[in-house]
Amino acid sequence: MVDLYAGVDVGSLCTKAVIIDGGGGLISHSIVRSGGFYEGAAEAAIKETLVSAGLQQKDLSCIISTGYGRARVSFSHDHVTEISCHARGAKWLFPDIHTIIDIGGQDSKVIYVNDEGRPKNFVMNDKCAAGTGRFLEVMAGALEISLAEMAEMSFHSQEEMEVSNMCTVFAESEVISLLAQGSEKSDIAGAIFRSIARRVTGLVGKLGLKEPAAMTGGVAKNRGMVRALEKKLRATLLIPPDPQIMGAYGAALIATEQQD
């Protein structure tokens, strides 16, 4: 029987689970909302992933947890920081990368990796939700549109206005005020993405951008955000097929190494 390994990434907004074979091949994965009950979310995610693959938990040789709630996963064999896991996962997919920009639900990180896929240095914004997935969700709510609609609208922006506040509460008020003034939703959407791009670019500037660079995390699924960040950085970002599962995927890869 083929050895199988799992990674569980318990994020502040979503929990991701991945099952791979010993060669790193993806068998199945799932994404569920965390909902504040991290152990329950981890159990739901691994169960959904196992069912999808037609497996049982006893079929897994090793499970590694990572993310915001990694220590709450009672069924994992060990837990590893999300910085190490995103580095390992992205480096596996893109062997030549040097920089990883990871924007998650509640924080954003810029990671330098060495040739082995291990972090050399990193900077992190974890003091507030500014420039994160949660920030985008609140802004989309203020515009009364979905995240996908906000991304699409941003491509049709005609006026380069500014959303100057990065505090989520004040930025939401600013967006509501712009709507009341008659500003187009497409222009506001473009301004929101540019404001996040400015903040993330500031993080990148603390280390410097060393290309090739990849972007991971759920926010990398948003085309409007990727475009705004690429324009601000003046660089092309490599995006995994599903950037949201990169932490879990990296954790599963680390699980294979712990069994060597």
Side-chain angles (χ1 to χ4, degrees):
M1 183 177 176
V2 176
D3 288 333
L4 300 172
Y5 307 87
V8 180
D9 179 8
V10 185
S12 57
L13 294 184
C14 292
T15 294
K16 292 75 66 176
V18 162
I19 296 174
I20 64 172
D21 60 30
L26 182 63
I27 304 297
S28 65
H29 73 278
S30 67
I31 302 171
V32 304
R33 294 292 287 190
S34 296
F37 181 35
Y38 300 126
E39 184 156 4
E43 290 172 351
I46 196 67
K47 181 178 180 180
E48 186 174 315
T49 309
L50 287 165
V51 169
S52 176
L55 298 168
Q56 299 181 45
Q57 194 165 316
K58 66 181 182 180
D59 297 324
L60 303 176
S61 298
C62 184
I63 304 171
I64 297 294
S65 61
T66 189
Y68 192 75
R70 60 185 178 273
R72 302 294 302 276
V73 183
S74 60
F75 57 84
S76 69
H77 296 90
D78 198 2
H79 54 82
V80 181
T81 70
E82 60 267 36
I83 291 167
S84 294
C85 291
H86 277 272
R88 194 66 55 85
K91 188 72 171 179
W92 182 269
L93 286 183
F94 306 118
D96 295 331
I97 61 167
H98 297 289
T99 306
I100 299 166
I101 299 170
D102 169 39
I103 307 179
Q106 296 280 24
D107 60 37
S108 50
K109 317 172 192 69
V110 179
I111 309 164
Y112 269 8
V113 294
N114 62 18
D115 291 338
E116 288 73 45
R118 290 177 170 79
K120 290 173 60 179
N121 199 1
F122 72 93
V123 290
M124 182 176 182
N125 165 44
D126 62 350
K127 301 301 182 186
C128 68
T132 66
R134 179 58 185 156
F135 182 88
L136 276 178
E137 285 186 349
V138 172
M139 296 306 105
L143 290 172
E144 298 185 333
I145 56 177
S146 69
L147 287 170
E149 289 172 325
M150 189 162 75
E152 185 60 32
M153 281 184 176
S154 72
F155 283 85
H156 303 287
S157 174
Q158 298 295 316
E159 181 182 345
E160 283 219 1
M161 62 177 56
E162 296 291 328
V163 171
S164 57
N165 280 294
M166 283 308 296
C167 169
T168 305
V169 174
F170 292 135
E172 182 181 21
S173 296
E174 188 174 354
V175 166
I176 292 171
S177 177
L178 287 169
L179 286 171
Q181 293 168 24
S183 297
E184 294 292 334
K185 286 187 178 182
S186 59
D187 292 333
I188 300 172
I192 290 166
F193 289 128
R194 284 193 299 274
S195 71
I196 297 174
R198 283 196 306 272
R199 188 175 184 89
V200 174
T201 299
L203 272 184
V204 173
K206 294 180 179 180
L207 294 180
L209 180 66
K210 188 175 182 182
E211 299 183 74
M215 185 175 176
T216 63
V219 174
K221 297 167 97 170
N222 190 299
R223 294 190 310 123
M225 186 66 253
V226 173
R227 185 183 75 154
L229 189 52
E230 287 183 328
K231 288 181 68 174
K232 189 66 177 176
L233 291 171
R234 297 180 181 177
T236 298
L237 297 172
L238 299 170
I239 310 296
D242 191 340
Q244 194 169 8
I245 66 170
M246 278 298 96
Y249 185 66
L253 289 171
I254 291 172
T256 69
E257 296 168 2
Q258 294 206 357
Q259 289 293 296
D260 289 343

